[in-house]
Coordinates of all heavy atoms in Angstrom, one line a residue:
L158 N 8.1 44.6 7.4 CA 9.0 45.1 8.5 C 8.1 45.4 9.7 O 8.4 45.1 10.8 CB 9.7 46.3 8.0 CG 11.0 46.6 8.7 CD1 12.0 45.5 8.4 CD2 11.5 47.9 8.1
H159 N 6.9 46.1 9.4 CA 6.1 46.6 10.5 C 4.8 45.7 10.8 O 4.1 45.9 11.8 CB 5.6 48.1 10.2 CG 6.7 49.0 10.4 ND1 6.6 50.4 10.3 CD2 8.0 48.8 10.3 CE1 7.7 50.9 10.4 NE2 8.6 50.0 10.3
G160 N 4.6 44.8 9.9 CA 3.5 43.8 10.1 C 2.1 44.2 9.6 O 1.1 43.5 9.5
A161 N 2.0 45.4 9.0 CA 0.7 45.9 8.4 C 0.3 44.9 7.3 O 1.1 44.7 6.4 CB 0.8 47.3 7.9
G162 N -0.9 44.6 7.3 CA -1.5 43.8 6.1 C -1.1 42.4 6.1 O -1.6 41.5 5.3
I163 N -0.3 41.9 7.1 CA 0.2 40.5 7.1 C -0.9 39.5 7.5 O -0.9 38.5 6.9 CB 1.5 40.4 8.0 CG1 2.7 41.3 7.4 CG2 1.9 38.9 8.1 CD1 3.2 40.9 6.1
D164 N -1.7 39.9 8.3 CA -2.8 39.0 8.8 C -3.7 38.8 7.5 O -4.2 37.7 7.2 CB -3.7 39.6 9.9 CG -3.0 39.4 11.2 OD1 -2.1 38.6 11.3 OD2 -3.4 40.1 12.1
A165 N -3.9 39.9 6.7 CA -4.9 39.8 5.6 C -4.2 38.9 4.5 O -4.9 38.1 3.8 CB -5.1 41.2 5.0
L166 N -2.9 39.0 4.4 CA -2.1 38.2 3.4 C -2.2 36.7 3.8 O -2.4 35.7 3.0 CB -0.6 38.6 3.3 CG 0.2 37.9 2.3 CD1 -0.3 37.9 0.9 CD2 1.7 38.5 2.3
R167 N -2.0 36.5 5.2 CA -2.1 35.1 5.6 C -3.4 34.4 5.3 O -3.5 33.3 4.9 CB -2.0 35.1 7.2 CG -0.6 35.0 7.7 CD -0.5 34.6 9.2 NE 0.7 35.1 9.7 CZ 0.9 36.2 10.5 NH1 -0.2 36.8 10.9 NH2 2.1 36.5 10.8
E168 N -4.5 35.3 5.4 CA -5.8 34.8 5.1 C -5.9 34.4 3.6 O -6.5 33.4 3.3 CB -6.8 35.9 5.5 CG -8.1 35.4 6.2 CD -8.8 36.5 6.7 OE1 -8.5 36.9 7.9 OE2 -9.7 37.1 6.0
R169 N -5.3 35.2 2.8 CA -5.4 34.9 1.3 C -4.5 33.6 1.0 O -4.7 33.2 -0.2 CB -4.8 36.1 0.5 CG -5.4 37.4 0.7 CD -6.8 37.4 0.1 NE -6.8 37.5 -1.4 CZ -7.1 38.5 -2.1 NH1 -7.5 39.6 -1.4 NH2 -7.1 38.5 -3.4
L170 N -3.6 33.2 1.9 CA -2.8 32.1 1.6 C -3.4 30.7 2.0 O -3.0 29.7 1.6 CB -1.4 32.2 2.2 CG -0.7 33.4 1.7 CD1 0.7 33.5 2.5 CD2 -0.4 33.4 0.3
Q171 N -4.4 30.8 3.0 CA -5.0 29.6 3.5 C -5.6 28.7 2.5 O -6.3 29.2 1.6 CB -6.0 29.9 4.6 CG -5.3 30.4 6.0 CD -6.3 31.0 6.9 OE1 -7.5 31.1 6.7 NE2 -5.7 31.5 8.0
G172 N -5.3 27.4 2.5 CA -5.9 26.4 1.7 C -5.4 26.5 0.2 O -5.9 25.9 -0.7
Q173 N -4.3 27.3 0.0 CA -3.8 27.5 -1.4 C -2.4 27.1 -1.4 O -1.6 27.2 -0.4 CB -3.8 29.0 -1.8 CG -5.2 29.7 -1.5 CD -6.1 29.5 -2.7 OE1 -5.7 29.7 -3.8 NE2 -7.3 29.1 -2.4
T174 N -1.9 26.8 -2.6 CA -0.5 26.7 -2.9 C -0.1 28.0 -3.6 O -0.6 28.2 -4.8 CB -0.1 25.5 -3.7 OG1 -0.4 24.4 -2.9 CG2 1.4 25.4 -4.0
S175 N 0.7 28.8 -3.0 CA 1.1 30.1 -3.6 C 2.5 30.2 -3.9 O 3.4 29.8 -3.2 CB 0.7 31.2 -2.6 OG -0.6 31.1 -2.2
L176 N 2.8 30.7 -5.1 CA 4.2 31.0 -5.5 C 4.6 32.4 -5.3 O 3.8 33.3 -5.7 CB 4.3 30.5 -7.1 CG 5.7 30.8 -7.7 CD1 6.8 29.9 -7.3 CD2 5.5 30.7 -9.2
L177 N 5.8 32.7 -4.8 CA 6.2 34.0 -4.5 C 7.2 34.4 -5.6 O 8.3 33.8 -5.8 CB 6.9 34.0 -3.2 CG 7.2 35.2 -2.4 CD1 5.8 35.9 -2.0 CD2 7.8 34.9 -1.0
V178 N 6.9 35.5 -6.3 CA 7.9 36.0 -7.3 C 8.0 37.6 -7.1 O 7.2 38.2 -6.5 CB 7.4 35.7 -8.8 CG1 7.3 34.2 -9.0 CG2 6.1 36.4 -9.1
G179 N 9.0 38.1 -7.8 CA 9.3 39.6 -7.7 C 10.7 39.9 -7.8 O 11.6 39.1 -7.6
Q180 N 11.0 41.1 -8.2 CA 12.4 41.5 -8.4 C 13.2 41.3 -7.1 O 12.6 41.4 -6.0 CB 12.4 43.1 -8.7 CG 12.1 43.4 -10.1 CD 11.8 44.9 -10.2 OE1 10.6 45.3 -10.0 NE2 12.8 45.7 -10.5
S181 N 14.4 41.2 -7.3 CA 15.3 41.1 -6.1 C 15.3 42.3 -5.3 O 15.3 43.4 -5.8 CB 16.8 40.8 -6.6 OG 17.6 40.7 -5.5
G182 N 15.1 42.2 -4.0 CA 15.0 43.4 -3.1 C 13.7 44.0 -2.7 O 13.6 44.9 -1.9
V183 N 12.6 43.4 -3.3 CA 11.3 43.8 -3.0 C 10.8 43.4 -1.6 O 9.8 43.9 -1.1 CB 10.2 43.5 -4.1 CG1 10.5 44.2 -5.4 CG2 10.2 41.9 -4.3
G184 N 11.5 42.3 -1.1 CA 11.2 41.9 0.3 C 10.5 40.5 0.4 O 9.7 40.2 1.3
K185 N 10.8 39.6 -0.6 CA 10.3 38.3 -0.6 C 10.7 37.5 0.6 O 9.8 36.9 1.4 CB 10.6 37.5 -1.8 CG 10.1 38.2 -3.1 CD 10.4 37.4 -4.4 CE 11.9 37.4 -4.6 NZ 12.4 38.8 -4.9
S186 N 12.0 37.5 0.9 CA 12.5 36.8 2.1 C 11.9 37.3 3.3 O 11.6 36.6 4.3 CB 14.0 36.8 2.1 OG 14.6 36.2 1.0
S187 N 11.9 38.6 3.5 CA 11.3 39.3 4.6 C 9.8 38.9 4.8 O 9.4 38.8 5.9 CB 11.4 40.8 4.5 OG 12.7 41.2 4.1
L188 N 9.0 38.8 3.7 CA 7.7 38.5 3.8 C 7.5 37.0 4.4 O 6.7 36.8 5.2 CB 7.0 38.5 2.4 CG 6.5 39.9 2.0 CD1 6.1 39.9 0.6 CD2 5.4 40.4 3.0
I189 N 8.4 36.1 3.8 CA 8.3 34.7 4.4 C 8.5 34.7 5.9 O 7.8 34.1 6.7 CB 9.3 33.8 3.7 CG1 8.9 33.7 2.2 CG2 9.4 32.4 4.4 CD1 9.9 32.9 1.4
R190 N 9.5 35.5 6.3 CA 9.8 35.6 7.8 C 8.5 36.2 8.5 O 8.2 35.7 9.6 CB 11.0 36.4 8.1 CG 12.3 35.6 8.0 CD 13.5 36.4 8.5 NE 13.8 37.7 7.9 CZ 14.5 37.8 6.7 NH1 15.0 36.8 6.2 NH2 14.6 39.0 6.1

Side-chain angles (χ1 to χ4, degrees):
L158 210 61
H159 294 191
I163 297 298
D164 284 341
L166 181 57
R167 269 193 209 107
E168 220 163 276
R169 299 290 286 254
L170 299 178
Q171 282 169 6
Q173 309 278 310
T174 297
S175 305
L176 173 71
L177 198 59
V178 300
Q180 283 164 270
S181 178
V183 291
K185 297 180 296 297
S186 301
S187 308
L188 276 171
I189 293 176
R190 277 193 300 274

